[in-house]
Each structure stands twice: as structure tokens, then as C-alpha cells.
């Protein structure tokens, strides 16, 4: 069962990347991720759990701006929320490890 979940995640990631191909959208997702992880860490280190709400708010706000004003598409979150959250983390990791352009090029070829 876990193996099939990861297979589904890997199969979904290229379409997720295509829906995030605009550079401005990627920047807003990156900013949202930075805020999300920062506030999440603050919530546990300080311990002030209001930061969890702020983390979720900023984690949705900035990507929403990216989709609305740059990518001009809708987020997948309503149809596949778990896959989207995991793919967002993967997008963030691929961005900070400088692998995003290679993966984006591969995803665009598969289109």
C-alpha cells in the first residue's frame, strides 16, 4: 500500500511541476514555504502554538498569490490535498538543492 502511494506521488509530481512552471509562481511558493517552515519551527521552539496558524496562513497565502497573478491557474489542493502538500515540500527541496530546472525541463517534455 505504501509502495503504491509513493508510485502515485511520483506519477503526480510532473503534472504538479507543469502547474507551477511560471518563475513568479515558483518564487511565491518558495517565499510561502520559507515562512511556513520558519513559523512552524518557531511554534515548537518558543512554544507559542499561534505560530502554527500563521504558518498555515502564509503557506497558503503566498502560493495563492502565485497561482492567481502569475501562473493564472487553480491549485490542485482541493482535488489531491495530501499529494499537493508533499509535492510542495518536494518542490521546495528541489529548489534549495538547485535541481528544479532539470526536473521542470523533464516535466515539460512529458507534457
Amino acid at each position: 500500500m505504501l509502495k503504491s502511494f509513493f508510485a502515485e506521488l511520483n506519477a503526480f509530481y510532473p503534472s504538479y511541476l507543469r502547474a507551477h512552471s511560471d518563475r513568479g509562481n515558483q518564487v511565491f511558493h518558495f517565499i510561502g514555504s520559507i515562512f511556513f517552515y520558519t513559523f512552524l519551527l518557531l511554534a515548537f521552539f518558543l512554544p507559542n502554538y499561534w505560530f502554527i496558524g500563521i504558518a498555515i496562513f502564509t503557506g497558503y497565502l503566498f502560493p495563492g498569490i502565485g497561482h492567481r497573478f502569475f501562473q493564472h491557474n487553480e491549485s490542485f489542493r482541493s482535488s489531491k490535498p495530501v499529494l499537493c502538500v508533499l509535492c510542495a515540500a518536494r518542490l521546495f527541496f528541489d529548489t534549495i538543492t538547485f535541481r528544479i530546472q532539470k526536473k521542470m525541463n523533464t516535466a515539460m517534455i512529458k507534457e
Side-chain angles (χ1 to χ4, degrees):
M1 183 168 161
L2 193 58
K3 187 177 179 180
S4 67
F5 174 76
F6 283 111
E8 183 182 4
L9 179 65
N10 287 331
F12 179 70
Y13 192 54
S15 62
Y16 183 86
L17 288 177
R18 286 190 295 275
H20 296 81
S21 60
D22 183 84
R23 186 69 76 193
N25 190 18
Q26 291 173 15
V27 167
F28 272 87
H29 273 71
F30 187 77
I31 292 168
S33 294
I34 292 287
F35 279 124
F36 175 78
Y37 293 124
T38 300
F39 284 122
L40 204 60
L41 288 172
L42 286 173
F44 291 104
F45 283 123
L46 288 182
N48 185 342
Y49 298 110
W50 282 100
F51 284 126
I52 294 173
I54 297 169
I56 293 169
F57 177 75
T58 57
Y60 277 99
L61 176 68
F62 285 95
I65 292 170
H67 280 286
R68 173 89 173 165
F69 296 107
F70 292 94
Q71 192 77 41
H72 303 291
N73 65 1
E74 295 293 321
S75 175
F76 288 132
R77 286 189 198 252
S78 60
S79 63
K80 299 181 185 267
V82 174
L83 291 178
C84 285
V85 169
L86 294 174
C87 284
R90 191 170 173 183
L91 176 68
F92 179 74
F93 182 75
D94 286 342
T95 302
I96 63 173
T97 58
F98 302 103
R99 297 185 309 194
I100 190 60
Q101 194 58 48
K102 181 179 177 184
K103 292 193 177 190
M104 192 64 72
N105 290 340
T106 303
M108 296 309 271
I109 290 170
K110 291 181 180 180
E111 186 173 28

